[in-house]
Coordinates of all heavy atoms in Angstrom, one line a residue:
A18 N 73.7 121.4 115.8 CA 72.7 121.2 116.9 C 71.5 120.3 116.4 O 70.7 119.7 117.1 CB 72.1 122.5 117.3
L19 N 71.3 120.3 115.0 CA 70.3 119.6 114.4 C 70.7 118.1 114.0 O 70.1 117.1 114.3 CB 69.8 120.2 113.1 CG 69.2 121.6 113.3 CD1 68.8 122.2 111.8 CD2 68.0 121.6 114.2
K20 N 72.0 118.1 113.5 CA 72.5 116.7 113.1 C 73.1 115.9 114.2 O 73.1 114.7 114.2 CB 73.7 117.0 112.1 CG 73.2 117.6 110.7 CD 74.3 117.8 109.8 CE 73.9 118.3 108.4 NZ 75.0 118.4 107.5
N21 N 73.4 116.6 115.2 CA 73.9 115.9 116.5 C 73.2 116.4 117.7 O 73.8 116.8 118.7 CB 75.4 116.2 116.6 CG 76.2 115.7 115.3 OD1 76.6 114.5 115.2 ND2 76.5 116.6 114.5
A22 N 71.9 116.1 117.7 CA 71.1 116.9 118.7 C 71.4 116.3 120.2 O 71.4 117.2 121.1 CB 69.6 116.5 118.4
D23 N 71.7 115.1 120.3 CA 72.0 114.5 121.5 C 73.3 115.1 122.2 O 73.3 115.5 123.4 CB 72.1 113.0 121.6 CG 70.8 112.4 121.3 OD1 69.7 113.1 121.5 OD2 70.8 111.1 121.0
T24 N 74.3 115.2 121.3 CA 75.5 115.8 121.9 C 75.4 117.3 122.2 O 75.9 117.8 123.1 CB 76.7 115.6 120.7 OG1 76.8 114.2 120.4 CG2 78.1 116.2 121.3
S25 N 74.7 117.9 121.2 CA 74.4 119.4 121.4 C 73.7 119.6 122.8 O 74.0 120.5 123.4 CB 73.6 119.9 120.3 OG 73.2 121.2 120.5
T26 N 72.7 118.8 123.0 CA 72.0 118.9 124.3 C 72.7 118.7 125.5 O 72.6 119.5 126.5 CB 70.7 118.0 124.2 OG1 69.8 118.3 123.1 CG2 69.9 118.2 125.6
A27 N 73.6 117.8 125.4 CA 74.5 117.5 126.7 C 75.5 118.7 126.8 O 75.7 119.0 127.9 CB 75.4 116.1 126.3
M28 N 76.0 119.2 125.7 CA 76.9 120.4 126.0 C 76.1 121.6 126.4 O 76.6 122.3 127.3 CB 77.5 120.8 124.6 CG 78.4 119.6 124.0 SD 78.9 119.8 122.3 CE 80.1 121.2 122.5
L29 N 74.9 121.7 126.0 CA 74.0 122.8 126.4 C 73.8 122.6 128.0 O 73.8 123.7 128.7 CB 72.7 122.9 125.7 CG 71.7 123.8 126.3 CD1 72.1 125.2 126.2 CD2 70.3 123.7 125.4
S30 N 73.5 121.4 128.5 CA 73.3 121.2 129.8 C 74.5 121.7 130.7 O 74.3 122.2 131.7 CB 73.0 119.7 130.0 OG 72.7 119.4 131.4
D31 N 75.7 121.3 130.2 CA 76.9 121.7 130.9 C 76.9 123.3 131.0 O 77.3 123.8 132.1 CB 78.2 121.2 130.3 CG 78.3 119.7 130.5 OD1 77.6 119.1 131.4 OD2 79.1 119.0 129.7
K32 N 76.6 123.9 129.9 CA 76.7 125.4 129.9 C 75.7 126.0 130.8 O 75.9 127.0 131.5 CB 76.5 125.9 128.4 CG 76.7 127.4 128.2 CD 78.0 127.9 128.7 CE 79.2 127.4 127.9 NZ 80.4 128.0 128.2
M33 N 74.5 125.4 130.7 CA 73.4 126.0 131.7 C 73.8 125.8 133.1 O 73.5 126.7 133.9 CB 72.1 125.3 131.4 CG 71.5 125.7 130.1 SD 69.9 125.2 129.9 CE 69.9 123.4 130.0
T34 N 74.3 124.7 133.5 CA 74.8 124.5 134.9 C 75.8 125.5 135.3 O 75.7 126.0 136.4 CB 75.4 123.1 135.0 OG1 74.4 122.1 134.7 CG2 75.9 122.9 136.4
A35 N 76.7 125.8 134.4 CA 77.7 126.9 134.6 C 77.0 128.2 134.8 O 77.4 129.0 135.8 CB 78.7 126.9 133.5
V36 N 76.1 128.5 133.9 CA 75.5 129.8 134.0 C 74.6 129.9 135.3 O 74.8 131.0 136.0 CB 74.6 130.0 132.8 CG1 73.7 131.2 132.9 CG2 75.3 130.2 131.5
K37 N 73.9 128.9 135.6 CA 73.1 129.0 136.9 C 74.0 129.1 138.2 O 73.5 129.7 139.0 CB 72.1 127.8 136.9 CG 71.1 127.9 135.9 CD 70.0 126.8 136.0 CE 70.5 125.5 135.4 NZ 69.5 124.4 135.4
S38 N 75.2 128.5 138.1 CA 76.1 128.7 139.3 C 76.5 130.0 139.6 O 76.9 130.3 140.7 CB 77.3 127.7 139.1 OG 78.2 128.3 138.1
T39 N 76.5 130.9 138.7 CA 76.9 132.3 138.8 C 75.9 133.2 139.6 O 76.2 134.2 140.1 CB 77.2 133.0 137.5 OG1 76.0 133.2 136.7 CG2 78.2 132.1 136.7
G40 N 74.6 132.7 139.6 CA 73.6 133.6 140.2 C 73.3 134.8 139.3 O 72.6 135.7 139.8
A41 N 73.7 134.8 138.0 CA 73.5 136.0 137.2 C 72.1 136.2 136.8 O 71.4 135.1 136.6 CB 74.4 135.8 136.0
E42 N 71.8 137.4 136.7 CA 70.3 137.7 136.2 C 70.3 137.6 134.6 O 69.4 137.2 134.0 CB 70.0 139.2 136.5 CG 69.8 139.5 138.0 CD 69.7 140.9 138.2 OE1 68.6 141.4 137.8 OE2 70.6 141.6 138.6
Y43 N 71.5 137.8 134.1 CA 71.7 137.8 132.6 C 72.9 137.1 132.2 O 73.9 137.3 132.8 CB 71.7 139.2 132.0 CG 70.4 140.0 132.2 CD1 70.2 140.8 133.2 CD2 69.4 139.9 131.1 CE1 68.9 141.5 133.4 CE2 68.2 140.6 131.4 CZ 68.0 141.4 132.4 OH 66.8 142.0 132.5
C44 N 72.9 136.4 131.0 CA 74.0 135.8 130.4 C 74.2 136.5 129.0 O 73.2 136.6 128.3 CB 73.8 134.3 130.1 SG 75.2 133.5 129.2
T45 N 75.3 137.1 128.8 CA 75.5 137.9 127.6 C 76.5 137.2 126.7 O 77.4 136.4 127.2 CB 75.8 139.3 127.9 OG1 75.8 140.1 126.7 CG2 77.2 139.5 128.4
A46 N 76.6 137.6 125.4 CA 77.5 137.1 124.5 C 77.5 137.9 123.2 O 76.6 138.8 123.2 CB 77.3 135.6 124.1
G47 N 78.3 137.7 122.2 CA 78.4 138.6 121.1 C 77.7 137.9 119.9 O 77.9 138.4 118.8
D48 N 77.0 136.8 120.2 CA 76.3 136.1 119.0 C 75.0 135.8 119.4 O 74.7 135.0 120.4 CB 77.0 134.7 118.6 CG 78.2 135.0 117.7 OD1 79.3 135.3 118.2 OD2 78.0 134.9 116.5
S49 N 74.0 136.2 118.7 CA 72.5 135.9 119.0 C 72.2 134.4 118.8 O 71.4 133.8 119.5 CB 71.7 136.7 118.1 OG 71.7 138.1 118.3
S50 N 73.0 133.7 118.0 CA 72.7 132.3 117.8 C 73.0 131.5 119.0 O 72.2 130.6 119.4 CB 73.5 131.8 116.6 OG 74.9 132.0 116.8
C51 N 74.1 131.8 119.6 CA 74.5 130.9 120.9 C 73.5 131.4 122.0 O 73.2 130.5 122.8 CB 76.0 131.3 121.3 SG 77.1 130.8 120.0
L52 N 73.2 132.7 122.0 CA 72.3 133.1 123.1 C 70.9 132.5 122.9 O 70.2 132.2 123.9 CB 72.2 134.6 123.0 CG 73.4 135.4 123.5 CD1 73.2 136.9 123.4 CD2 73.6 135.1 125.0
M53 N 70.5 132.3 121.6 CA 69.2 131.6 121.4 C 69.2 130.2 121.9 O 68.3 129.8 122.5 CB 69.0 131.6 119.8 CG 67.7 130.8 119.4 SD 67.4 130.9 117.7 CE 68.7 129.9 117.1
H54 N 70.4 129.5 121.7 CA 70.4 128.2 122.2 C 70.5 128.1 123.7 O 69.7 127.4 124.3 CB 71.7 127.6 121.6 CG 72.0 126.1 121.9 ND1 71.1 125.2 121.4 CD2 73.0 125.4 122.4 CE1 71.6 124.0 121.7 NE2 72.7 124.1 122.3
I55 N 71.3 129.0 124.3 CA 71.4 129.0 125.8 C 70.1 129.4 126.4 O 69.6 128.8 127.4 CB 72.6 129.9 126.2 CG1 74.0 129.3 125.8 CG2 72.7 130.0 127.8 CD1 75.2 130.2 125.9
G56 N 69.5 130.5 125.8 CA 68.3 131.0 126.4 C 67.2 130.1 126.3 O 66.3 130.0 127.2
G57 N 67.1 129.3 125.1 CA 66.0 128.3 125.0 C 66.1 127.3 126.1 O 65.1 126.9 126.7
G58 N 67.3 126.8 126.4 CA 67.5 125.9 127.5 C 67.2 126.4 128.9 O 66.4 125.7 129.7
L59 N 67.6 127.6 129.2 CA 67.4 128.2 130.5 C 65.8 128.5 130.6 O 65.3 128.3 131.8 CB 68.1 129.6 130.6 CG 69.6 129.5 130.7 CD1 70.2 130.8 130.5 CD2 70.0 128.9 131.9
S60 N 65.2 128.9 129.7 CA 63.7 129.2 129.7 C 62.9 127.9 130.0 O 62.0 127.9 130.8 CB 63.2 129.8 128.5 OG 63.2 129.0 127.4
R61 N 63.4 126.8 129.4 CA 62.6 125.5 129.6 C 62.9 125.0 131.0 O 62.1 124.2 131.5 CB 63.0 124.5 128.5 CG 62.4 124.9 127.2 CD 63.1 124.1 126.0 NE 62.4 124.3 124.8 CZ 62.5 125.5 124.1 NH1 63.2 126.4 124.5 NH2 61.8 125.5 122.9

């Protein structure tokens, strides 16, 4: 995510679009690192 920030951000954008399409209150996963990434984008 640091070395390839533009690619990482584009992938995050796709993931956020998918999450928002569900209408979910919460997105869960088994890794805090991925949740930190997704959550940072969703909050912004």
Side-chain angles (χ1 to χ4, degrees):
L19 301 176
K20 294 182 176 181
N21 302 276
D23 290 343
T24 303
S25 173
T26 301
M28 296 169 74
L29 172 62
S30 178
D31 289 344
K32 182 59 64 174
M33 289 193 299
T34 297
V36 170
K37 288 186 282 188
S38 75
T39 66
E42 299 171 72
Y43 292 93
C44 175
T45 191
D48 276 89
S49 293
S50 54
C51 299
L52 290 172
M53 177 178 67
H54 190 57
I55 296 169
L59 291 172
S60 67
R61 284 165 176 75

